[in-house]
């Protein structure tokens, strides 16, 4: 009987190991602790650089609007190149590299930054009433960017000259939500409502459901090779959604996993921890 109990205990331990959500991810590096509330991260192949948006105003006397936000530039190994590479932002969040510029969603404006210098080229104000622009993604074919507003739960198209046009309205749902955005071909991958991952066809405006079993409020969305998507939730956790819509948890809730980015060139998943670091992970080929 004692032997059976021991065998059962060993089986439970082994089962727990195989079911470990972190077994598909291996930490490669953690950046220095000099970042200040990093919310989003993106890799720029042309500059061989990683950019991180720093909200940097949580403890301010005038949070979110004191223009203390900034963008950091790191090398491809996570080493700091310049902490305050681009300054004068409010509370920058989503990032997208497009035509030698870094496009930033910054509360009530979209900011365009020259990637060769870090200088702000333009600031495009959002329509009145917009105060919580969150993620951004850009389309070379449409020559435009798309930005989500977590306040109104809408998605806007932003033209090359900074004009905002409503692309997708708040869903008639008990739990409408918009945050992470990702352009894949002519489809805009988004959330729409809590717990789901959807795709909006930019040509037909038809919406399809990629998965209705994600079960979280999605923060970041990034493509993982041709296998599916990686999504994060700010409260903590990274999940893989395969092409069948099946969801698997890869990373636990040890820290606030904000707007993540998978780089094919680096073959790394970059995760901002909404504290002081960018953490890079290698993803198991077995996933």
């Amino acid at each position: 009987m004692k032997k059976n109990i021991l065998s059962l205990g060993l089986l439970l331990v082994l089962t727990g190991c195989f079911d470990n959500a972190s077994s598909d991810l291996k930490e490669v590096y953690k950046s220095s602790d000099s970042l200040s509330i990093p919310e989003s991260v993106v890799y720029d192949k042309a500059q061989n650089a990683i950019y991180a948006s720093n909200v940097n105003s949580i403890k301010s006397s005038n949070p979110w609007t004191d223009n203390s936000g900034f963008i950091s530039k790191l090398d491809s190994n996570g080493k700091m190149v310049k902490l305050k590479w681009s300054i004068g932002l409010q509370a920058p969040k989503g990032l997208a590299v497009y035509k030698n510029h870094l496009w930033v969603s910054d509360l009530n404006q979209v900011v365009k930054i020259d990637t060769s210098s870090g200088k702000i080229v333009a600031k495009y104000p959002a329509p009145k009433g917009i105060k919580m622009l969150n993620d951004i993604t850009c389309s070379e074919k449409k020559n435009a960017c798309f930005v989500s507003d977590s306040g109104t739960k809408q998605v806007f198209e932003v033209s090359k000259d900074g004009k905002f046009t409503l692309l997708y309205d708040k869903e008639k749902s008990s739990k409408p939500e918009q945050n992470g955005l990702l352009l894949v071909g002519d489809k805009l991958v988004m959330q729409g409502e809590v717990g789901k991952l959807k795709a909006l066809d930019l040509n037909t405006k038809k919406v399809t459901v990629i998965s209705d079993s994600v079960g979280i409020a999605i923060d970041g969305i990034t493509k993982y090779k041709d296998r599916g998507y990686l999504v994060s939730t700010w409260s903590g956790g990274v999940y893989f959604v395969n092409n069948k819509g099946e969801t698997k948890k890869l990373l636990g809730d040890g820290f606030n996993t904000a707007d993540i980015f998978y780089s094919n060139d680096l073959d790394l998943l970059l995760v901002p921890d909404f504290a002081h670091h960018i953490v890079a992970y290698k993803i198991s080929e077995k996933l």
Side-chain angles (χ1 to χ4, degrees):
M1 181 68 179
K2 184 176 180 180
K3 181 178 180 180
N4 289 338
I5 292 175
L6 290 173
S7 298
L8 178 60
L10 179 60
L11 177 62
L12 290 173
V13 170
L14 291 174
T15 303
C17 290
F18 286 119
D19 193 40
N20 187 345
S22 298
S23 62
D24 289 302
L25 297 181
K26 179 181 180 181
E27 184 176 319
V28 176
Y29 67 75
K30 180 183 287 188
S31 70
S32 68
D33 61 359
S34 55
L35 297 174
S36 182
I37 321 297
E39 199 279 340
S40 184
V41 62
V42 67
Y43 174 68
D44 180 1
K45 183 177 181 180
Q47 297 288 333
N48 191 28
I50 295 169
Y51 305 116
S53 60
N54 295 259
V55 174
N56 191 41
S57 55
I58 296 296
K59 297 181 180 179
S60 168
S61 59
N62 187 22
W64 307 105
T65 57
D66 61 359
N67 292 319
S68 68
F70 60 92
I71 307 297
S72 296
K73 182 177 181 179
L74 302 87
D75 69 16
S76 58
N77 295 310
K79 303 296 184 183
M80 186 62 66
V81 175
K82 190 171 183 179
L83 179 62
K84 295 189 176 182
W85 173 73
S86 188
I87 62 175
L89 302 173
Q90 298 175 115
K93 296 183 180 65
L95 305 174
V97 175
Y98 174 57
K99 289 188 174 181
N100 300 316
H101 290 92
L102 181 67
W103 294 74
V104 186
S105 57
D106 191 28
L107 290 184
N108 60 0
Q109 62 183 352
V110 167
V111 180
K112 183 180 179 182
I113 300 172
D114 186 337
T115 54
S116 64
S117 65
K119 293 182 179 179
I120 293 175
V121 175
K123 291 183 177 181
Y124 302 121
K128 186 177 180 180
I130 303 300
K131 298 181 180 180
M132 194 55 71
L133 295 181
N134 212 315
D135 202 10
I136 190 168
T137 187
C138 299
S139 166
E140 188 165 350
K141 182 178 180 180
K142 298 289 184 180
N143 198 19
C145 294
F146 306 95
V147 61
S148 62
D149 176 38
S150 293
T152 64
K153 320 300 182 186
Q154 297 170 316
V155 179
F156 293 88
E157 179 175 333
V158 185
S159 67
K160 61 180 181 180
D161 56 356
K163 181 182 178 181
F164 281 70
T165 303
L166 179 63
L167 175 71
Y168 191 72
D169 209 346
K170 177 180 178 179
E171 290 198 13
K172 295 179 180 178
S173 163
S174 60
K175 294 182 179 181
E177 188 59 66
Q178 285 293 359
N179 191 331
L181 297 177
L182 177 68
L183 191 70
V184 180
D186 288 330
K187 292 186 177 181
L188 184 65
V189 181
M190 60 182 188
Q191 183 170 192
E193 54 186 317
V194 175
K196 297 185 179 182
L197 186 65
K198 301 182 179 184
L200 169 68
D201 189 305
L202 295 177
N203 298 316
T204 65
K205 300 301 186 290
K206 181 181 178 181
V207 176
T208 56
V209 177
I210 298 172
S211 176
D212 59 4
S213 61
V214 181
I216 58 170
I218 296 173
D219 194 314
I221 303 171
T222 188
K223 191 83 168 67
Y224 178 55
K225 299 182 178 181
D226 60 351
R227 304 180 192 179
Y229 301 92
L230 297 164
V231 301
S232 62
T233 180
W234 181 84
S235 59
V238 174
Y239 300 75
F240 173 57
V241 182
N242 67 21
N243 293 323
K244 295 180 180 180
E246 300 166 334
T247 303
K248 181 179 183 180
K249 190 172 185 177
L250 304 183
L251 190 64
D253 54 2
F255 57 90
N256 297 123
T257 48
D259 190 7
I260 61 177
F261 182 84
Y262 173 75
S263 168
N264 279 296
D265 298 294
L266 302 178
D267 192 20
L268 290 175
L269 173 63
L270 306 174
V271 182
D273 67 1
F274 210 68
H276 302 291
H277 311 92
I278 301 299
V279 188
Y281 293 94
K282 179 76 173 179
I283 301 175
S284 170
E285 286 299 321
K286 296 179 181 180
L287 183 64

